[in-house]
């Protein structure tokens, strides 16, 4: 109680004294206030600021301004409003655009300490004269290539040398120079570790830490030599464990063991933050030299909650501001209690937190020398002055650098200031009430999931932020390896059937390793499978939909229990990396659950009654279905087509791809463990051209569910159209086929996103997804700069054994595929320029092909038209957006496509004119989720309804409408009248 009273006392003092200080009010305050109260305006403003640096053409800029704000009431400054009103007069664009740029640049300058080191020197000089220290941050977000990471390393080293020399010349000033009873380094550098390694990935903590340290250690050595302090910034949650591990390893590194001038930021909006602090303190106790923790609330709240919600992950952050506030004070108390083992920096603009820090420090008998406050440049200036007046140590976080990378920082500051979740008293406005109440943890801390309801939810992918997710993968890989070489029979009528002829399944990353030996069916055994399926159908067609759906859910649940094991098999048999393998299993689980729900939905009869007449409609199974999946989604596509077949009351013969038969065999084994009656699903591994085609031709097959190449698919469509003697039905064929998918990069695209999205779409799983990008159409204006970054980013991808989670790319599926792709590359080289093709000899084992990029590819050339199904990307130049759309549509396929643009008009045009089954705007074009992004194309990419859609199951059934005349001699049952 005494403590709380003291906090209130100090807090009130701060409020009264701050209000006495004269704070300049300007239009920015009005803008932020307006943004808080008008969410649509907030979004448009942030989006406009985000796109602005890419608009170097005046007419483009005014057009965007009109598109973003044309219909909104805005509290923009007069100059900008004037610009907006002129945007329909192109001749005035050259006057309006510079004014708008000037306005936003002033806004940016408010939060940034200059565009280069020289300007940053002036800023820190001014701060020092005002009695404040500084921490310098070089603006920029993640590096997208190793080339960029090298540039960051160089920039940090240059900054340390230049700044430390500059600050050496300062005259002494005690409040800046003395802290914790010793000389404080004048230069303090804030460092984002993600900028030091482009392939940072939570799935590969070890590799990421190793690579980051290669660039971090020279920075630390330089800082040590020049008496500079290094503060490691915390970033998004995915990187937290990597950043923390780096920090802890550095603390224990003999080179830095006795160095106190290093620290790390801890974000108290994270639920884990208190445990992380405890871990740090534990290490510091052993180390016996202190280090610093900067306590912040965290600046990525919107991002963290959206990402968690989108992926069905538990939220890593507290959802209520109160919990973050309460945690902030709890962590602060802990930090002060562990002084001097750990030295505390309290980074806040919140009056209550400032007062709490002062009172808690007093409570632990700490002096003002024993801790430091930090605030951001350009924010809460009145509070800063007040702290200096009170002789508190205050350090200002000063980001500096070019405006372009700086915009992301500016957007984050504005987002933070205008968020309903804002934990700041900005000091930007006097109108905001200051809350001094003691924050307490919510009694009913919300369930960890953000949105909980009964609708279908996609299986959450592993985030790999938990160590346990790692460990289970490593363990599963080792267990699978122990089972290499096992023999897998056919399953016909529930019985195992071994064959003399077999298929050898090998590990494409290491062809000496035999993953398994699988039976290969003959035509005779195909007949046996057909007999079994026909026999089972007699019973299965009468099983209720509810019961059939419950089998699917049971299989889903068994698969969920063994998801990592199934992912491990894909890593070995298909060459997928950890994340791709996990995603494939999750998609299989989704298909099972989703089609179970959809079958039950369709089972509800639709009735449209009339007097004296009863109408009903129902769906009936068709018969025996032949399921022919490809190897590239060896579990998900097989499961989806099989589940749809059987839940509708048909029985199935599954003929998997001969490249991935072990996964299929393991899965059919699993579905029988679910108790599925014998003969409902028969496994018939064997040659596609042989038994696949034999069965497709067979008169007793009613449905062919095929996914694969256009050549095989169109051949099967032909086969299905033929009536054989004695055939009494038209075969239903569902054929999902290839693609030649394009991404358009517009002049105003976010280049970081466009580059990383294109690289991931083109080279994820070695370009062997039907949805993969194989063409990128880039507008002339940004062609060269996009290409340069694209090439460096693709070059930075790590290729190697997919067992190692640090390898983004693995092998292509087979020697035959490798030979084919290499020959296409050779042909391509005769046609156009290769911008990237580093074929390294160290790929001696395994069917590896590195990313290949061709440039200035002609629109009608083989490279631009043929599906290559490997890591080969063609870059095509377009004059303008019209031509880009026309080039994108110049294909026999229409499967997936993407546009990176921040022009609302262009995005709208793409929605209506881009001919693809799945269009993605401003994101990668692969990774469709069941139900959320029903998947499938048209033109020569496929027939029928989309997989994972509400309509998909209709293709597996016949529909009947039954009408009964219920009138007998002029009367009908009464309820029919009432139902009318
Ligand atoms: P593929 O056409 O070579 O083989 C697909 C399946 O058909 C395999 O199981 C194979 O054994 C079988 N098969 C081959 N010849 C046959 C025949 N004559 N009769 C009956 N069955 C036969 O394709 P793939 O190499 O396994 O897969 C890659 C292709 O699949 C790519 O073209 C890709 O775009 C496409 N694909 C499309 C989608 C989609 O949803 N549209 C999804 C994944 C893959």
């Amino acid at each position: 109680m005494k403590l709380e009273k003291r906090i209130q006392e100090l807090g009130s003092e701060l409020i009264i004294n701050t209000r006495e200080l004269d704070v300049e009010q300007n239009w920015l305050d009005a803008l932020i206030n307006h943004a808080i109260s008008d969410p649509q305006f907030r979004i448009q403003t942030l989006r406009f600021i985000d796109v602005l640096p890419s608009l170097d053409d005046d007419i483009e800029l005014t057009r965007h301004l009109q598109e973003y704000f044309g219909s909104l009431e805005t509290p923009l400054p007069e100059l900008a409003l004037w610009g907006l009103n002129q945007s329909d007069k192109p001749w005035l664009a050259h006057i309006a655009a510079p004014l708008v740029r000037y306005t936003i640049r002033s806004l940016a300058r408010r939060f940034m300490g200059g565009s280069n080191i020289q300007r940053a020197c002036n800023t820190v000089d001014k701060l020092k004269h005002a009695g404040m220290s500084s921490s310098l941050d070089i603006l920029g977000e993640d590096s997208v290539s190793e080339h960029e990471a090298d540039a960051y390393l160089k920039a940090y080293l240059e900054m340390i040398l230049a700044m430390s020399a500059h600050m050496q010349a300062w005259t002494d000033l005690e409040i800046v120079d003395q802290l914790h009873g010793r000389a404080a380094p004048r230069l303090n550098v804030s460092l984002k570790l993600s900028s030091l390694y482009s392939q940072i990935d939570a799935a590969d903590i070890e590799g990421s830490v190793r690579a980051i340290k290669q660039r971090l250690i020279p920075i630390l050595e330089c800082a040590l030599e020049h008496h500079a302090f290094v503060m490691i910034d915390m970033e998004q949650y995915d990187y937290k464990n990597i950043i923390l591990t780096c920090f802890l390893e550095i603390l224990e590194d003999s080179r830095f063991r006795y160095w106190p001038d290093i620290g790390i930021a801890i974000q108290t909006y994270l639920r884990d933050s208190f445990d992380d602090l405890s871990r740090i303190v534990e290490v510091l106790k052993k180390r016996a030299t202190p280090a610093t923790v900067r306590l912040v609330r965290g600046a990525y709240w919107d991002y963290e909650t959206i990402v968690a919600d989108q992926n069905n992950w538990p939220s890593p952050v507290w959802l209520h501001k109160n919990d973050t506030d309460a945690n902030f004070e709890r962590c602060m108390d802990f930090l002060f209690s562990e002084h001097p083992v750990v030295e505390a920096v309290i980074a806040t603009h919140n009056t209550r937190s400032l007062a709490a820090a002062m009172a808690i420090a007093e409570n632990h008998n700490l002096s003002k020398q024993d801790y430091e406050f930090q605030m951001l440049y350009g924010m809460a200036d009145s509070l800063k002055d007040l702290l200096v007046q009170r002789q508190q140590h205050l350090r200002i976080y000063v980001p500096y650098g070019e405006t372009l990378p700086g915009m992301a920082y500016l957007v984050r500051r504005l987002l933070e200031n205008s968020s309903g979740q804002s934990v700041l008293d900005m000091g930007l406005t006097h109108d905001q009430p200051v809350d001094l109440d003691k924050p307490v943890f919510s009694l009913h801390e919300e369930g960890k999931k953000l949105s909980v309801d009964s609708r279908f939810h996609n299986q959450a992918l592993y985030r790999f932020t938990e160590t346990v997710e790692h460990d289970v993968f490593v363990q599963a890989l080792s267990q699978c390896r122990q089972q290499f070489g096992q023999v897998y029979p056919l399953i016909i009528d529930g019985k195992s059937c071994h064959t003399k002829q077999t298929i050898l399944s090998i590990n494409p990353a290491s062809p000496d390793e035999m993953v398994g030996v699988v039976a290969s069916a003959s035509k005779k055994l195909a007949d046996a499978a057909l007999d079994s399926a026909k026999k089972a159908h007699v019973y299965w067609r009468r099983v209720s939909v509810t019961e059939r759906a419950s089998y699917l859910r049971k299989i889903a649940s068994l698969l969920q229990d063994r998801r990592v094991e199934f992912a491990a098999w894909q890593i070995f048999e298909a060459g997928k990396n950890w994340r791709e393998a996990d995603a494939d299993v999750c998609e299989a689980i989704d298909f099972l659950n989703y089609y179970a729900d959809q079958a039950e939905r369709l089972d509800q009869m639709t009735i449209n009654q009339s007097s004296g007449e009863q109408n009903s409609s129902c769906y009936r199974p068709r018969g025996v279905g032949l399921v022919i999946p490809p190897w590239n989604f060896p579990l998900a596509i097989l499961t989806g087509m099989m589940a749809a077949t059987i839940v509708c009351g048909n029985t199935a013969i599954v003929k998997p791809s001969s490249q991935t038969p072990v996964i299929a065999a393991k899965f059919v084994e699993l579905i029988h463990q679910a108790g599925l009656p014998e003969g409902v699903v028969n496994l018939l591994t064997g040659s596609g051209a042989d038994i696949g085609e034999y069965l497709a031709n067979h008169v007793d097959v009613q449905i062919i569910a095929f996914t694969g190449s256009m050549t095989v698919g169109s051949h099967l469509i032909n086969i299905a159209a033929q009536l054989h003697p004695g055939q009494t039905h038209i075969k239903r064929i569902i054929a999902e086929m290839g693609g030649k998918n394009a991404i358009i990069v517009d002049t105003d695209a976010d280049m970081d996103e466009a580059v990383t999205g294109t690289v991931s779409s083109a080279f994820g799983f070695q370009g062997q997804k039907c949805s993969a990008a194989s063409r990128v159409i880039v507008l002339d204006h940004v062609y060269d700069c996009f290409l340069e970054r694209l090439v460096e980013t693709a070059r930075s991808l790590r290729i190697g054994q997919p067992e190692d989670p640090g390898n983004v790319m693995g092998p292509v599926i087979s020697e035959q595929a490798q030979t084919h792709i290499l020959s296409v590359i050779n042909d391509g080289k005769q046609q156009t320029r290769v911008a990237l093709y580093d074929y390294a000899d160290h790929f001696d084992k395994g069917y590896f092909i590195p990313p290949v990029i061709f440039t200035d590819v002609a629109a009608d050339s083989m490279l631009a038209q043929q599906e290559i199904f490997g890591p080969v990307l063609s870059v095509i130049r377009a004059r303008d957006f019209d031509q880009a759309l026309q080039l994108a549509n110049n294909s026999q396929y229409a499967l997936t496509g993407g546009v990176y643009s921040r022009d609302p008009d262009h995005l709208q045009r793409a929605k209506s004119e881009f001919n693809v089954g799945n269009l993605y705007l401003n994101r990668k074009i692969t990774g469709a989720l069941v139900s959320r992004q029903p998947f499938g194309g048209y033109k020569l990419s496929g027939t029928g309804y989309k997989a994972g859609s509400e309509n998909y199951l209709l293709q597996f059934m016949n529909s009947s409408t039954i009408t009964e005349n219920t009138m007998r001699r002029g009367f009908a049952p009464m309820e029919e009248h009432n139902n009318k």
Side-chain angles (χ1 to χ4, degrees), residues 673-701:
Q673 281 164 17
L676 198 71
E678 289 165 0
V680 174
V681 173
N682 302 276
L683 173 71
L684 207 71
T685 38
S687 149
D690 193 357
I691 52 148
E693 187 156 336
Y694 171 73
L695 284 173
N697 264 304
H698 204 286
V699 63
D700 287 338
V701 166

Side-chain angles (χ1 to χ4, degrees), residues 313 460-465 469 472-473 563-564 579 582 586:
W313 288 327
L461 303 179
Y462 274 166
R463 194 170 188 176
F464 292 109
T465 43
E469 293 172 330
V472 290
F473 256 76
R563 68 183 270 192
V564 187
R579 287 187 188 276
D582 179 48
C586 288

